[in-house]
Amino acid sequence: MDDRLPAHLEVSGLIRAVEAEGGFGMVLSKGERDAGTIMLVLLEKGGSARAYERMPGLDGTRAWHCTRRQEESADFGESLTARLAFSDYVERRGTHDPDLWVVELDVAKPERFIGLGV
């Protein structure tokens, strides 16, 4: 039997926890209700985004890993290009995995909500 929490409950819990800390959480794309995978788009004050997904380890556990970072730039044109490239990555992931939930969390030190003390 799988001990995983259903995806919709995990997503709901993450959003509630972030909002309780004064942040903002939103589902960008709904995946499979119970067994869907989750991609988190983490931001801090609307700054550069990071995408986190769980990856299976050799020992059978599934840990969160940063799969994409939005490149930062002081130049507006480069910054816009970086945002578009990041958005394109997230969109492609959703196209390749229809069960994928995409959830945006904007809060101070967002990695702490997934057990990473970055």
Side-chain angles (χ1 to χ4, degrees):
M1 184 169 189
D2 193 1
D3 291 343
R4 276 178 52 184
L5 191 62
H8 72 281
L9 290 179
E10 184 173 6
V11 166
S12 178
L14 282 166
I15 290 173
R16 286 176 188 246
V18 164
E19 289 177 348
E21 292 289 321
F24 175 78
M26 180 172 65
V27 175
L28 301 177
S29 176
K30 284 186 179 181
E32 204 284 324
R33 181 176 167 82
D34 293 318
T37 56
I38 300 171
M39 172 190 279
L40 298 176
V41 176
L42 304 181
L43 304 125
E44 198 165 343
K45 296 182 183 176
S48 296
R50 284 104 50 211
Y52 278 85
E53 298 179 70
R54 281 201 192 98
M55 301 289 177
L58 295 175
D59 61 357
T61 60
R62 296 170 57 246
W64 289 101
H65 293 277
C66 184
T67 56
R68 186 69 160 213
R69 290 184 181 275
Q70 178 184 315
E71 299 296 322
E72 293 186 36
S73 175
D75 179 82
F76 177 76
E78 289 178 16
S79 178
L80 181 60
T81 301
R83 287 180 188 265
L84 291 173
F86 185 86
S87 294
D88 184 53
Y89 170 78
V90 172
E91 187 175 323
R92 276 187 321 225
R93 281 289 293 116
T95 301
H96 288 55
D97 184 357
D99 294 337
L100 181 70
W101 287 76
V102 179
V103 180
E104 182 176 297
L105 304 175
D106 191 342
V107 65
K109 300 179 185 173
E111 283 84 357
R112 65 190 160 116
F113 291 93
I114 55 174
L116 301 175
V118 177

